[in-house]
């Protein structure tokens, strides 16, 4: 499931094991409660934690 990063406006793809990669290639660690940590900078990001968020951008769903 893709997640949206409200901090910098990127989308993150789930890589498994609680890891994600954003559209700029940064690795993110899921910290739970809608937070993720950029593994390079250590910055905390506010993430969308809703599984239905992706459906807003899915053209196949009515």
């Amino acid at each position: 499931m893709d997640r949206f990063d409200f901090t910098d406006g990127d989308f993150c793809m789930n890589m498994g094991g609680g890891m994600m990669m954003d559209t700029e290639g940064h690795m993110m660690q899921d910290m739970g409660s809608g937070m993720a940590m950029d593994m390079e900078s250590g910055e905390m990001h506010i993430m969308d934690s809703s599984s239905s968020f992706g459906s807003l951008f899915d053209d196949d769903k009515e």
Side-chain angles (χ1 to χ4, degrees):
M1 158 181 67
D2 290 345
R3 294 174 65 185
F4 184 73
D5 183 345
F6 290 103
T7 304
D8 59 13
D10 285 339
F11 282 94
C12 294
M13 297 182 308
N14 186 5
M15 304 299 286
M19 298 298 293
M20 298 172 278
M21 182 180 291
D22 71 10
T23 55
E24 296 177 350
H26 300 133
M27 293 299 295
M28 308 287 280
Q29 173 70 46
D30 186 6
M31 304 303 284
S33 300
M35 300 295 292
M37 182 174 65
D38 185 319
M39 298 303 290
E40 184 177 329
S41 68
E43 294 177 345
M44 296 299 289
H45 291 248
I46 300 169
M47 306 293 287
D48 169 57
S49 58
S50 169
S51 61
S52 63
F53 186 79
S55 66
L56 294 173
F57 301 99
D58 189 354
D59 292 336
D60 295 336
K61 293 187 180 180
E62 297 287 324

